[in-house]
Amino acid sequence: MFKIIIIGGMAAGCKAAARLSRLSSDYQITIIERNPFISYGNCGLPLYAAGEIDDFYELAKTGYGVIRDEKYFLDVKGIKVLTNCEVEVINTSQCEIQYTDRKNNETNILQYNSLIIATGSKAVKPGFPYKSSPCISSFHSPLEAKNFKEAAQKGKVGKAVIVGGGFIGCELSEALVSLWGIETTIIEKEDSLLLKSFDPEIAAIVENTIRLKDVNVMLSTEVEKIEFDENELPVVILKDGAQIQSDYVFYNLGIKPESTLAEKAGIKIGTLGGIVVDENMKTSIPNIWAAGDCVEVNNLVTGKPDYFSLGSLSNRMGRVAADSIAEENSSFKGAVGTISLKIFNTTITASGLTEKNAKDCGYNVGSVIGAWSDRPDYHPDVKKLFGKLVYEKPGFKLLGLQLIGEGEVTRYIDVFSELLANNQTAFDLINLEHGYTPPHSSPISPLNYLGSMVINQEKNKVKNINPNQVPFFDGIFIDLREPLEIEAAGFSNKVIPIPLSEIRAHRDKFEHSQPIMFLCERGPRSYEAARIFMNYGYNNISYLGGGNSYYKAAGKKFDIKV
Ligand SMILES: Cc1cc2nc3c(=O)[nH]c(=O)nc-3n(C[C@H](O)[C@H](O)[C@H](O)COP(=O)(O)OP(=O)(O)OC[C@H]3O[C@@H](n4cnc5c(N)ncnc54)[C@H](O)[C@@H]3O)c2cc1C
């Protein structure tokens, strides 16, 4: 028999094992997993903590309700699974691994013909001092999720602190507040949440969503240390000396590849700490493949190595590793990094580079911001959608998109990521075909609009102004909304109100070279007015991206120089 050992029994490892078992019955496949559980949906842990999923084992069930445990893998797929077993050594010259069975503390050796490393990732530990305690943990494993849930169920968690405002921190805040009514604080050292995948003006919408649910968000705030009070409960001490009393502290400071075992075996590790693999998931050592969160991947936008911890990619990589062992023709060429999450009722998605990331990579960057309806405005379920597109100025090559809304969002990011992976431009966005039906979409998709906005900005010189640039705009602001709308939510009394229907009558009122910015509720009226004025010879015209609706969504005040 051809012996295949897989280290790690989650997305990448189990996918590879299942694929191999389907490809041939000549393989003797063994998965070795150090945890007691295998093949559960890590991504569902926040839902489990929030009580939306009651029983942990629901996360490990097949579509027809059977738990994917050792017995299932053996009976259905002919795969042997060793749980509670940790691989400690890979001996590459002898093609064998050494593992310890934690159930009886026995050390065993197994030989392989092919080995797949699918060891995943680990949570970054805090750099500040704290002592180990059951009420201080990351939120990265089922045991951590279970510990918290048990404490919450016993009514032991009235106040919680989440250190780190990334995805897991933000997702977790919903779990703590919604079901358990826990008084929750997020502490983030940067001046914006979700900075890895969102620019601050878009992250501000997420921040507002979270704040409106009574989560206390502390930005630009650093933890000095965690101490314990006389009841052995954690007290988070901030750099400015302030103290936050709590019953539970989560640290979510990012994750990194679990590549120590591979490194010790002499397998090549990249600059980001992940295992280096080729398009077939082969490592630098013969007969050894690696897949999932433990590897670095080629970023298809930058062409450079990158690190993404995503269940969607891990599954695909696992399949490619299996295909490569079986000499089937498939490859994993890289990824653009497409994420999607839901926090409270808002879906938050991003694909590719933020404006900041793109600038750091040396691109000559342009961007546009907009607000749209996710379906026709007459539809009773219509929801707003906000987005920022980042592109490269010469050629209008797409670099990234951030899209947020309460309605249909993921369908757009999924299509966009495909365009991004294929080096497409803003022109391709304009020409994109999509399915239109009023219950789900508008006749013109936000992606079509974004493409037009780029071309209008670059070729037709109608500047789209980012709300964060408004305080630096030195010119005239014209509010095009109807008087009733302005009464409901006016920008500022420093803004000249001229409804769109009257704008032509005002065409001679201003100097043609004067900077003028049009404002409206979302943007289309502003663009219309901009084109009218430009046709009358004005040459310094811009409009506010996202309009007043952006300020409402971000909970911000319109801020202009006076
Ligand atoms: C709370 C949370 C929410 C998430 N949400 C999403 C989401 O919404 N969308 C998304 O795309 N991704 C999400 N992810 C990321 C996703 O879960 C991971 O990308 C995916 O699980 C990676 O799969 P993997 O098999 O590569 O690694 P892992 O899931 O990390 O599995 C690796 C396994 O290897 C085992 N192992 C490691 N070393 C050894 C050893 N020496 N011996 C034996 N076993 C070992 C580990 O115990 C672990 O079980 C989320 C992650 C978390 C924690």
Side-chain angles (χ1 to χ4, degrees):
M1 290 285 265
F2 189 88
K3 291 179 185 156
I4 301 172
I5 293 180
I6 299 172
I7 311 173
M10 287 289 288
C14 288
K15 183 63 177 180
R19 173 81 176 147
L20 282 162
S21 78
R22 280 180 217 124
L23 289 174
S24 169
S25 52
D26 292 339
Y27 299 140
Q28 185 192 91
I29 306 164
T30 308
I31 298 177
I32 307 181
E33 168 55 56
R34 66 184 170 194
N35 275 330
F37 324 101
I38 51 159
S39 196
Y40 61 87
N42 236 347
C43 313
L45 288 179
L47 299 175
Y48 166 72
E52 279 185 50
I53 294 167
D54 246 359
D55 181 3
F56 171 77
Y57 288 98
E58 289 295 323
L59 296 176
K61 275 189 182 164
T62 61
Y64 49 91
V66 174
I67 295 174
R68 287 186 300 259
D69 55 11
E70 293 91 322
K71 184 171 172 351
Y72 164 83
F73 272 94
L74 193 61
D75 292 351
V76 178
K77 299 182 188 288
I79 296 168
K80 187 172 176 188
V81 178
L82 305 174
T83 50
N84 290 302
C85 291
E86 177 155 10
V87 177
E88 267 141 6
V89 181
I90 303 170
N91 184 340
T92 58
S93 58
Q94 301 298 313
C95 286
E96 60 186 32
I97 58 106
Q98 181 190 306
Y99 72 92
T100 300
D101 188 335
R102 300 278 172 223
K103 296 183 285 287
N104 49 25
N105 247 353
E106 252 178 39
T107 299
N108 298 307
I109 288 181
L110 286 180
Q111 305 253 295
Y112 62 80
N113 296 102
S114 293
L115 175 72
I116 301 180
I117 303 174
T119 45
S121 60
K122 54 189 169 200
V124 173
K125 296 246 186 242
F128 50 78
Y130 69 104
K131 81 172 187 204
S132 157
S133 151
C135 49
I136 302 182
S137 83
S138 67
F139 191 77
H140 188 253
S141 76
L143 289 175
E144 288 166 338
K146 274 169 162 266
N147 281 347
F148 160 72
K149 199 163 173 179
E150 274 166 32
Q153 275 165 337
K154 287 180 189 153
K156 287 185 176 169
V157 193
K159 289 181 186 174
V161 171
I162 299 170
V163 186
F167 299 119
I168 295 180
C170 290
E171 274 191 308
L172 196 52
S173 71
E174 175 177 4
L176 303 192
V177 169
S178 299
L179 180 73
W180 308 107
I182 295 168
E183 198 182 311
T184 303
T185 301
I186 297 180
I187 298 176
E188 168 56 56
K189 81 172 165 41
E190 304 293 342
D191 59 2
S192 174
L193 296 172
L194 300 166
L195 210 56
K196 197 172 167 213
S197 304
F198 291 88
D199 284 312
E201 62 277 22
I202 300 297
I205 301 176
V206 184
E207 185 191 326
N208 192 40
T209 305
I210 293 177
R211 281 191 199 278
L212 287 174
K213 297 289 179 180
D214 288 334
V215 175
N216 179 24
V217 181
M218 299 176 78
L219 300 176
S220 309
T221 305
E222 270 196 76
V223 175
E224 173 78 23
K225 57 184 168 180
I226 302 179
E227 290 188 342
F228 286 81
D229 67 10
E230 60 284 1
N231 300 316
E232 280 301 294
L233 292 172
V235 183
V236 179
I237 300 176
L238 305 178
K239 286 241 154 107
D240 65 6
Q243 302 193 352
I244 308 175
Q245 203 77 32
S246 67
D247 302 306
Y248 220 97
V249 178
F250 288 102
Y251 58 86
N252 292 290
L253 304 165
I255 58 159
K256 55 184 182 187
E258 179 64 275
S259 55
T260 324
L261 184 65
E263 192 173 11
K264 276 199 296 182
I267 294 167
K268 188 169 176 197
I269 304 296
T271 47
L272 304 169
I275 301 171
V276 174
V277 287
D278 67 10
E279 284 185 6
N280 303 115
M281 312 313 295
K282 283 184 181 158
T283 68
S284 59
I285 299 223
N287 307 325
I288 303 186
W289 283 255
D293 275 11
C294 59
V295 308
E296 289 183 10
V297 301
N298 172 36
N299 184 316
L300 292 172
V301 182
T302 63
K304 294 185 182 139
D306 211 333
Y307 181 63
F308 304 116
S309 159
L310 290 168
S312 48
L313 301 182
S314 297
N315 274 290
R316 282 173 50 211
M317 288 189 239
R319 184 187 162 99
V320 171
D323 280 354
S324 175
I325 290 172
E327 296 181 358
E328 291 280 321
N329 188 17
S330 76
S331 62
F332 182 86
K333 296 195 184 317
V336 295
T338 302
I339 57 135
S340 182
L341 67 156
K342 191 165 162 276
I343 301 176
F344 297 105
N345 42 7
T346 302
T347 302
I348 296 157
T349 66
S351 186
L353 307 179
T354 61
E355 184 167 0
K356 182 181 179 307
N357 293 339
K359 282 182 178 158
D360 290 347
C361 288
Y363 288 101
N364 179 1
V365 183
S367 69
V368 288
I369 283 194
W372 310 271
S373 299
D374 71 338
R375 56 204 101 186
D377 286 309
Y378 58 74
H379 195 278
D381 294 332
V382 64
K383 296 278 187 309
K384 290 234 169 53
L385 218 117
F386 299 89
K388 174 172 178 178
L389 178 75
V390 181
Y391 60 93
E392 190 178 22
K393 276 194 177 163
F396 320 135
K397 179 178 128 101
L398 305 174
L399 295 177
L401 176 64
Q402 301 150 54
L403 210 54
I404 293 190
E406 291 183 9
E408 302 271 354
V409 182
T410 49
R411 56 183 301 175
Y412 301 117
I413 210 76
D414 288 349
V415 171
F416 182 83
S417 71
E418 192 53 29
L419 296 180
L420 203 52
N422 287 295
N423 269 314
Q424 307 280 287
T425 69
F427 291 110
D428 299 301
L429 282 181
I430 297 176
N431 292 327
L432 204 63
E433 183 177 337
H434 72 292
Y436 160 53
T437 175
H440 290 291
S441 53
S442 294
I444 303 176
S445 133
L447 295 179
N448 299 143
Y449 279 122
L450 280 161
S452 308
M453 286 159 74
V454 172
I455 304 307
N456 290 333
Q457 172 153 278
E458 295 297 334
K459 292 197 119 180
N460 305 324
K461 304 296 170 209
V462 189
K463 276 180 270 164
N464 172 284
I465 300 287
N466 183 312
N468 278 5
Q469 294 163 358
V470 167
F472 310 103
F473 181 81
D474 197 5
I476 294 169
F477 294 88
I478 299 178
D479 187 343
L480 297 157
R481 293 173 302 160
E482 298 298 318
L484 267 178
E485 291 176 89
I486 295 178
E487 237 171 72
F491 276 110
S492 151
N493 57 10
K494 301 286 182 297
V495 177
I496 304 167
I498 308 174
L500 179 65
S501 51
E502 295 169 23
I503 200 71
R504 282 175 198 273
H506 288 77
R507 62 179 186 255
D508 295 326
K509 295 244 166 89
F510 308 96
E511 257 182 53
H512 281 196
S513 60
Q514 206 163 13
I516 295 175
M517 189 195 296
F518 289 110
L519 326 164
C520 63
E521 189 57 25
R522 280 193 314 225
R525 278 177 282 184
S526 300
Y527 178 66
E528 185 88 41
R531 295 311 302 250
I532 292 171
F533 263 43
M534 286 174 79
N535 288 342
Y536 284 120
Y538 287 82
N539 55 25
N540 203 345
I541 298 293
S542 55
Y543 70 101
L544 176 64
N548 187 49
S549 65
Y550 168 81
Y551 289 89
K552 283 197 261 180
K556 285 189 174 190
K557 273 203 144 80
F558 182 72
D559 177 19
I560 58 174
K561 206 154 64 173
V562 285

